[in-house]
Each structure stands twice: as C-alpha cells, then as structure tokens.
Amino acid sequence: MTRDDALDRLRNIARERAFGGNVGSDRLIQAGLDALMAGVESPSLAMLAGLLRNEEPEATALFDQVLEELELLFHPPDDPKAAKWAMAYWIAVQIADGSLNPAAGTYRIWADIAYDLGYPDELEPLVHCAHNLDGWEESWGRSLEELSREAIDAAKEFLNERSTSEK
C-alpha cells in the first residue's frame, strides 16, 4: 500500500463514519497500522496502530485525533438533504473507481438516500441498477457482470452530470 492509498483509506473511513456508518475499532486500528507502514506520519498514528485488544475502546478517539492531525476530518453538510446528496456522490465515486461493489453501492443509494430525497430523477438510473442487481436471476439472460457494468456506467454518468452542472 502506498502513502496515497493509506491516506485515501483514512479519508474514506472518515466519510463513512461522518455519513453514519458503523466502523469497528478493528478497522480503525488496521487503517492506522497500514498508514504507519506506508510512511504516513502523525503524532497519534503510532498510538492508534499499536492498540491492543483490551484498548480498542480508545480507537475512535485516537482515529479522530489522527484525522485532525492529518487535516482529513470530514463534516457532511448541516442541511440533511445536502448531506444525502454528498453521500450519493461519495458512493458514486467509489462505484465508478471500483473501490465499492456496484450492487452494494447502488443498494445504499436506493435504501439510504433516494427514499429520503423523494426519489429524484438524477438517482433513478442508480436505483434501477440497484433493483436489477438485488433481484437478479439467472433466467434473465443477462449476466450479473453485465448488470454490474451498467451500474458502474450509471455512477459515472451521475458524476459527469454533476461536473457538467457545476461548470
């Protein structure tokens, strides 16, 4: 793992936690250990990476301290709708770059975001992919891989639409 990979992992865990995801102490400690081994430097990183099993309750506070030291803290927007959109874009980036399984990512967009936003048109292709991936049957005559590629394409298109609208 490179230093940049380790920093990306720390950033992603920070976002996952900020968006309400439950990240276990074991993942926080492992991310700290991987970052330390990749050459990331922070005053609290070695303490996080070196936590023993009986010290796991300290992992959350130490992880937050590491994020602060590395200036990687992430706070979602205060507005609940804006936070849901930010989460949708974050998940779409992960689907598009291959770091998140398309079925898992589109399902999160469908279950955790689209409903709360009133099923906006912009998310419909991703929700459609989630339905297809969730209910896939071999008898459909389309492979799961093909449906996954469609989900990746839908995520990329969603991100392209955002970047186009920001210009």
Side-chain angles (χ1 to χ4, degrees), residues 11-25:
R11 258 187 224 97
N12 272 329
I13 292 173
R15 279 173 173 68
E16 187 173 345
R17 291 177 63 227
F19 288 126
N22 185 12
V23 180
S25 297

Side-chain angles (χ1 to χ4, degrees), residues 65-86:
Q65 196 170 337
V66 167
L67 292 177
E68 189 171 323
E69 292 165 0
L70 295 172
E71 298 180 359
L72 297 176
L73 278 175
F74 174 78
H75 299 286
D78 290 332
D79 175 63
K81 282 192 175 205
K84 289 291 183 179
W85 280 109

Side-chain angles (χ1 to χ4, degrees), residues 89 122 158-167:
Y89 289 115
E122 298 91 334
F158 174 68
L159 295 169
N160 283 339
E161 302 254 336
R162 177 188 188 193
S163 64
T164 302
S165 70
E166 290 177 354
K167 290 181 181 176

Side-chain angles (χ1 to χ4, degrees), residues 80-110:
K81 282 192 175 205
K84 289 291 183 179
W85 280 109
M87 184 177 175
Y89 289 115
W90 172 66
I91 291 171
V93 165
Q94 293 178 86
I95 294 169
D97 74 12
S99 62
L100 180 62
N101 175 291
T106 57
Y107 184 84
R108 283 190 71 189
I109 288 173
W110 170 30

Side-chain angles (χ1 to χ4, degrees), residues 2-73:
T2 68
R3 182 180 189 283
D4 288 342
D5 292 339
L7 290 170
D8 284 344
R9 179 191 266 173
L10 294 172
R11 258 187 224 97
N12 272 329
I13 292 173
R15 279 173 173 68
E16 187 173 345
R17 291 177 63 227
F19 288 126
N22 185 12
V23 180
S25 297
D26 57 333
R27 272 187 64 203
L28 300 179
I29 294 167
Q30 186 62 53
L33 180 59
D34 291 343
L36 189 64
M37 292 175 58
V40 176
E41 295 180 19
S42 149
S44 303
L45 189 57
M47 291 189 301
L48 173 65
L51 288 178
L52 303 173
R53 182 169 298 283
N54 65 337
E55 298 171 315
E56 282 185 3
E58 300 171 38
T60 301
L62 275 172
F63 187 81
D64 288 340
Q65 196 170 337
V66 167
L67 292 177
E68 189 171 323
E69 292 165 0
L70 295 172
E71 298 180 359
L72 297 176
L73 278 175

